[in-house]
């Protein structure tokens, strides 16, 4: 089968299209013929940092495809089922023709969702859901600031927050303002023209997606009993949030960091919302499998509108 394999030669690190052995599912795994995948930060950041490289050396956490073979103990799926999942907990491997993964990480794909759209759901949408619902405890009527609303997680966060009934103020770059407004934000701020952290505004909840400001700047924007949630960001910023967040949470304002985890129930929940038209994936562009390196580079630059999808094979 074909796969995009991470290779390191001397000081050079690269992604190369290779012919490798097709995997065989064990007793509790299914073999999925991959139709589409999508790019996430957890795909390109290990390359940047040099740690967290999958054992298989094949990146790709989000997958959509058809079950081609099932292990003898598999009970959730049968041959021919269309499935979608976040396989990061199974070592990734989505940038390839096939992958063998535990049945527990997959969900049935609703027939109403095209493959490319479904591939853009698992990591980003579940991350946004867990940030809002679990860490942020967002409820209807709350004032919510989403900092960094134009990317993969951000576009879902705006839609899910609106679905939950929050009053959403979203920040993004100039090119994303119209998009973010169309997703349901009540107010959109162009952060290239206005620094909201210097304002006198206050919010019940703040979700910072790859936020770049000091934690104290975000805390300043919270009302008493408000909650701030850090979602992603640079390694330095994540470390700072983990280290100092607990100390800064002394008092009524809480500073939290999300470590999103794959969850089948959460995935099924957001897939149902997509299938019913309540939210929709935002796709910036699609790349064929052989151009995965270019797709990873594009996403790592931080300017993608929503998600970037890898088309692996035709139906």
């Amino acid at each position: 089968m074909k796969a995009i394999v991470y290779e390191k030669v001397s000081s050079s690190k690269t992604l190369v299209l290779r012919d490798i052995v097709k995997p065989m599912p064990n007793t509790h795994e299914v073999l999925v013929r991959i139709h589409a995948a999508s790019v996430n930060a957890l795909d390109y950041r290990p390359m940047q940092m040099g740690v967290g490289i999958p054992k298989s050396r094949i990146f790709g956490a989000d997958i959509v495809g058809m079950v081609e073979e099932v292990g003898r103990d598999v009970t959730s799926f049968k041959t021919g089922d269309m499935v979608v999942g976040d396989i990061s907990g199974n070592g990734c491997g989505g940038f390839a023709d096939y992958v063998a993964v535990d049945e527990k990480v997959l969900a049935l794909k609703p027939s109403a969702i095209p493959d490319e759209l479904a591939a853009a759901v698992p990591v980003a949408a579940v991350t946004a859901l867990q940030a809002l619902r679990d860490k942020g405890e967002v409820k209807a009527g709350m004032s919510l600031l989403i900092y960094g609303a134009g990317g993969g997680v951000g576009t879902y966060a705006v839609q899910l927050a609106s679905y939950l009934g929050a009053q959403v103020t979203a920040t993004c770059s100039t090119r994303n303002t119209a998009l973010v407004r169309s997703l349901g934000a009540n107010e959109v701020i162009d952060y290239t023209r206005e620094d909201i952290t210097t304002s006198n505004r206050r919010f019940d909840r703040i979700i910072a997606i790859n936020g770049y400001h000091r934690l104290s700047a975000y805390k300043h924007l919270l009302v008493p009993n408000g909650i701030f949630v850090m979602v992603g960001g640079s390694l330095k910023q994540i470390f700072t949030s983990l280290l100092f967040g607990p100390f800064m949470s002394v008092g009524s304002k809480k500073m939290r960091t999300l470590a999103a985890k794959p969850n089948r129930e959460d995935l099924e929940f957001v897939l149902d919302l997509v299938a019913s038209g309540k939210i929709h994936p935002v796709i910036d562009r699609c790349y064929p499998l052989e151009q995965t390196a270019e797709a990873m580079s594009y996403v790592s630059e931080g300017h993608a509108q929503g998600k970037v999808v890898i088309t692996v094979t035709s139906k």
Side-chain angles (χ1 to χ4, degrees), residues 199-270:
S199 73
N200 293 320
R201 302 280 297 276
R202 297 294 182 269
F203 299 91
D204 296 311
R205 301 289 188 267
I206 300 173
I207 307 294
I209 303 162
N210 298 325
Y212 299 101
H213 296 286
R214 293 178 179 272
L215 294 181
S216 57
Y218 292 116
K219 185 175 182 179
H220 171 73
L221 294 173
L222 286 173
V223 301
N225 299 311
I227 297 174
F228 164 83
V229 182
M230 171 70 73
V231 183
S234 67
L235 185 61
K236 178 182 178 181
Q237 192 164 31
I238 293 172
F239 177 77
T240 300
S241 181
L242 289 170
L243 183 63
F244 296 105
F247 297 100
M248 296 184 70
S249 293
V250 175
S252 67
K253 299 180 182 181
K254 304 304 178 185
M255 310 293 287
R256 299 173 177 174
T257 303
L258 174 71
K261 297 180 180 180
N263 182 290
R264 180 192 278 183
E265 290 184 358
D266 288 350
L267 176 56
E268 291 173 338
F269 176 77
V270 292

Side-chain angles (χ1 to χ4, degrees), residues 17 28 30 47 52 54 74 76 95 112 118 153 161 175-176 200 204 225 235 284 305 308:
L17 184 67
H28 59 277
V30 298
M47 290 184 61
V74 170
S76 302
F95 300 151
V153 175
R175 68 187 292 261
N176 291 328
N200 293 320
D204 296 311
N225 299 311
L235 185 61
D284 183 300
Q305 288 185 311
V308 168

Side-chain angles (χ1 to χ4, degrees), residues 133-209:
R133 182 197 61 197
D134 302 339
K135 288 290 186 177
E137 302 174 23
V138 172
K139 301 291 191 300
M142 287 183 172
S143 59
L144 168 68
L145 172 65
I146 298 176
Y147 196 94
V153 175
T155 52
Y156 282 115
V158 171
Q159 296 178 82
L160 288 168
S162 297
Y163 173 78
L164 293 172
Q167 295 297 305
V168 181
T169 298
T171 73
C172 59
S173 63
T174 306
R175 68 187 292 261
N176 291 328
T177 54
L179 167 66
V180 171
R181 188 173 290 108
S182 73
L183 297 177
N186 302 95
E187 179 183 3
V188 180
I189 296 173
D190 181 347
Y191 62 63
T192 68
R193 299 180 179 180
E194 178 183 348
D195 182 0
I196 194 170
T197 64
T198 63
S199 73
N200 293 320
R201 302 280 297 276
R202 297 294 182 269
F203 299 91
D204 296 311
R205 301 289 188 267
I206 300 173
I207 307 294
I209 303 162

Side-chain angles (χ1 to χ4, degrees), residues 267-286:
L267 176 56
E268 291 173 338
F269 176 77
V270 292
L271 285 171
D272 285 344
L273 292 180
V274 174
S276 63
K278 294 182 173 65
I279 65 173
H280 65 273
V282 176
I283 307 297
D284 183 300
R285 60 186 68 180
C286 297

